[in-house]
Amino acid sequence: MSDVRARSYFLGLLPLPERQAVARALRTETVGGLVLLAAAVLALGWANSPWSGSYEEIRDFHFGIPALGLDLSVGHWTADGLLAVFFLVAGIELKRELVVGELRTPATAALPVIAAVCGMAVPAALYAATAAAGGGSLDGWAVPMATDIAFALAVLAVLSTHLPAALRAFLLTLAVVDDLGAILIIAVFFTSDLNLWALAGAFAGLVVFHLLQRARVRGWWWYVPLGVTVWALMYNGGVHATVAGVAMGLILRATGDAGETKSPAARVAHLVHPVSAAVAVPLFALFAAGVSINGAALGEVFASPEPLGIVIGLVVGKTVGIFAGAYLATRFTRARLNPDLAWADVLGLSVLAGIGFTVALLIGELAFPDGRTGEHVKAAVLIASVLAALLAAALLRRRNRIYRRLYEAENLDADVDGIPDIYQQAQSADAGPDRQGT
């Protein structure tokens, strides 16, 4: 076997089952991204309208159960409560990637993981350098580290680009990996005073959750009350409550037993993913993205070290980190770029990954909970995301003719048997090992 055949293509043709799973996930994310975009626009319009007082009044309105330590504002309910649903879905997607997806083997995981890690490290380093040079706070180093996959896909939908499945899958895998990084950062660095008894109760609840999965117990009436209890205990334990969501997502079984049409993880994702994409994340955006945008505020974004570091981290750091990580991985591993694509495509995707909205806003609220700096940080995330979207649009639109040709070839089904012809041609020519894998 030649060296060329021994290598796998980066951004080559995905295996059919993986492509189908990615397509299902991305359809929901794209719709959710459009709703998210609408929520962000509504938040900005409302917060900068003559009715901005009503926006703040609703966002800061408190309700809950004080005796259980759950008397929160509407804004905090969306950040601590609804985003737990988002992180539950993130945990399920990560579990699927680890068990049956791109991250299941070191060979296929190496390239997207290296690119994602570099795409987290470089923005954090650029933020730290910018903040230190300007005498600002280093507390926001984690803000520019995460990619918002839903917002990025919404931009692609608006552009009507025809990205091949492998490019979209690479973007999804990047987002899954840096979601994991964000979860770890939130759990380790953004904890308040710990209540060990509450944390012990949350851990015990997760153990029960695991045992129910092992015993193949089914029925929402077991899992929903247990999940809410684990979430409440995690919140009262001083660890950000969204960690409970990802923990339960990772515990769910991602492989089905004999006779099961879907695994428990797949069933839960099918039910919860639309709620996360169309309700939880947009409502969080509605009450997190409402910042005052005027000349003075925009000036502060580019004059103050903390927001400037976030803009540089997202727009420059994400681009440099992901592109350099992908290039180095192909340089020093046996993967090589799909000959149908060019490094300009990787560059466009790297710029697009600079759209850091949902998780970036969440970490920004945790890093700067009070004062004007927090508002400027939110404005910086919004501005950086818009800049990244515009730059990516310019790069990707130039290549859209190539994408359309690849997309049409991937989806051609002349014999109408439900399987794209390119997969049958690859099997008949015994070319599957050459094209598959990223």
Side-chain angles (χ1 to χ4, degrees):
M1 184 178 291
S2 68
D3 182 63
V4 172
R5 288 182 61 83
R7 288 173 175 261
S8 61
Y9 280 121
F10 166 46
L11 302 180
L13 185 66
L14 292 176
L16 184 57
E18 178 68 9
R19 177 190 164 180
Q20 291 169 335
V22 167
R24 286 193 297 269
L26 294 181
R27 275 196 296 270
T28 305
E29 292 285 6
T30 301
V31 174
L34 294 173
V35 179
L36 172 63
L37 186 60
V41 172
L42 175 60
L44 287 172
W46 192 0
N48 290 277
S49 72
W51 304 279
S52 59
S54 64
Y55 175 83
E56 296 175 359
E57 184 177 350
I58 293 174
R59 182 191 62 192
D60 298 334
F61 177 76
H62 277 247
F63 68 97
I65 308 174
L68 298 179
L70 297 175
D71 184 22
L72 309 178
S73 68
V74 170
H76 280 129
W77 274 114
T78 59
D80 293 90
L82 289 180
L83 276 195
V85 178
F86 166 78
F87 278 103
L88 171 64
V89 174
I92 292 172
E93 290 177 347
L94 177 59
K95 181 68 172 287
R96 191 195 70 82
E97 290 291 327
L98 290 170
V99 174
V100 297
E102 289 294 297
L103 305 181
R104 69 187 183 279
T105 60
T108 55
L111 197 147
V113 168
I114 291 171
V117 170
C118 292
M120 291 185 286
V122 175
L126 286 179
Y127 172 88
T130 304
S137 170
L138 297 179
D139 291 346
W141 61 273
V143 176
M145 292 177 66
T147 295
D148 193 311
I149 180 67
F151 215 137
L153 290 172
V155 171
L156 294 179
V158 171
L159 292 175
S160 297
T161 54
H162 296 75
L163 286 188
L167 279 168
R168 292 175 180 266
F170 181 61
L171 181 62
L172 177 61
T173 306
L174 287 175
V176 168
V177 175
D178 69 17
D179 275 349
L180 174 61
I183 291 161
L184 293 174
I185 288 167
I186 290 170
V188 174
F189 295 99
F190 294 102
T191 58
S192 56
D193 295 334
L194 297 180
N195 182 329
L196 297 182
W197 287 108
L199 287 179
F203 180 76
L206 292 173
V207 171
V208 173
F209 196 99
H210 172 69
L211 293 175
L212 290 173
Q213 284 288 289
R214 287 285 300 271
R216 302 314 194 249
V217 174
R218 300 180 62 173
W220 64 267
W221 51 87
W222 292 97
Y223 293 100
V224 172
L226 179 59
V228 172
T229 301
V230 170
W231 171 85
L233 288 169
M234 192 76 74
Y235 176 82
N236 282 286
V239 175
H240 200 270
T242 52
V243 175
V246 75
M248 287 182 280
L250 288 170
I251 291 172
L252 285 167
R253 282 192 298 115
T255 55
D257 292 333
E260 283 186 327
T261 56
K262 288 183 177 181
S263 68
R267 289 197 301 270
V268 173
H270 177 75
L271 292 171
V272 176
H273 204 157
V275 177
S276 168
V279 179
V281 174
L283 281 177
F284 167 75
L286 179 63
F287 293 107
V291 296
S292 177
I293 300 295
N294 52 47
L298 293 176
E300 285 293 327
V301 168
F302 295 98
S304 301
E306 295 90 353
L308 179 60
I310 289 167
V311 173
I312 293 174
L314 283 171
V315 178
V316 179
K318 275 289 183 183
T319 302
V320 173
I322 292 173
F323 184 85
Y327 177 79
L328 291 173
T330 57
R331 178 71 174 80
F332 295 105
T333 70
R334 300 194 67 81
R336 64 192 182 101
L337 185 66
N338 181 350
D340 290 327
L341 298 171
W343 281 104
D345 304 303
V346 183
L347 178 64
L349 219 61
S350 302
V351 176
L352 187 67
I355 299 176
F357 190 75
T358 305
V359 179
L361 287 174
L362 174 62
I363 297 178
E365 288 189 346
L366 297 174
F368 302 101
D370 301 306
R372 294 181 61 198
T373 301
E375 292 297 301
H376 295 154
V377 164
K378 288 183 180 181
V381 170
L382 297 174
I383 290 170
S385 297
V386 170
L387 289 175
L390 292 174
L391 290 171
L395 291 170
L396 295 175
R397 287 292 291 177
R398 292 187 61 185
R399 298 280 298 170
N400 200 39
R401 180 176 57 84
I402 304 297
Y403 301 149
R404 183 180 289 109
R405 177 173 60 81
L406 294 174
Y407 181 86
E408 290 171 352
E410 283 185 356
N411 290 276
L412 179 63
D413 185 17
D415 54 8
V416 200
D417 63 352
I419 300 175
D421 296 343
I422 193 169
Y423 289 94
Q424 296 165 325
Q425 294 165 2
Q427 290 174 356
S428 63
D430 194 26
D434 282 342
R435 293 294 310 276
Q436 291 183 2
T438 56

